[in-house]
Amino acid sequence: LCVTVKNNASLSILDVLAAIQNLTQLQSLVLSGIGLSGPLYSSNATASPGLNTFQELQHLDISHNPGINGTIPSSWYSLAALQVLNISHTSVSGSLPASYAALQQLREFRAANCSGISGPLPPTWGLLKLEVLQVTNSALTGALPAEWVDAAVLRQAVQVAQLPSGSMMRPMGLRPVMREPLASIDVPLPVFSGMAQTADSATATVAQHTDDGSVEPLALGMLRLRVLDLSVAVHAKGGLSGTLPASYAVLEQLQVRV
């Protein structure tokens, strides 16, 4: 579905989503450059369900709408079919949600010229099978995560990450498993179902012992990454620190702009 509006019209993105909420089988939604404004979610989910209605959505483009503001909704982790997400040239703000590690079909995440995006790159995104990651002219800080290319470090990050749990884990495709005891305490470790098939080599996985005694590997998804653009203009604030880790050499298809 591609939406257009009359010249000089001003629409809230939540109003547009409410108007089409009966299209529950919608797979592609292009709302680029049509003067939308307002936040991406409402605290009143009943009155303004936002994107939660569109569980079949694969392609979402809300780019070139500078009036769109507010934080990036962490609840979008439930859009399990999403493959392309483009929020470029909007006024969204806040950190990149760690919960998006649940978007196991996501191949492209684009947030070009989003100066309000801040904080570190989420280590848990090492679980994603991204091919394109673009977050430019942002206020991102910190270094490139070692977790994206090191399965052992990724495992530790998943253990401590505050990912949705309990009833929220099921729509994410997560299930709790127990890791080895640490100081006599068993800590629940979320593992994505089907992740054993995502690794390209045996060195990209770390064995996880499930509660039935079987072993399921925790796999690196970022091995497919082709485009990584985290560039910042000279006049922009923020920017990553450090150098490109030597371990990123495993990303053989990668083109880098940092």
Side-chain angles (χ1 to χ4, degrees), residues 40 51-52 60 62 73-79 85 87 100 103:
L40 291 169
L51 285 173
N52 293 336
L60 175 63
I62 59 171
S74 59
S75 60
W76 285 1
Y77 73 79
S78 64
L79 301 174
L85 175 57
I87 59 174
Y100 284 15
L103 297 174

Side-chain angles (χ1 to χ4, degrees), residues 10 21 24 57 70 82 89 110 135 138 159 178 188 199 240 242 246-247:
S10 178
Q21 63 180 318
T24 57
L57 193 63
L82 196 62
H89 301 277
R110 298 182 183 271
V135 186
S138 71
Q159 288 173 352
M178 306 301 290
L240 299 176
S247 54

Side-chain angles (χ1 to χ4, degrees), residues 44-63:
N44 187 347
T46 303
S48 300
L51 285 173
N52 293 336
T53 303
F54 310 112
Q55 292 299 303
E56 303 299 322
L57 193 63
Q58 299 177 14
H59 184 150
L60 175 63
D61 185 352
I62 59 171
S63 64

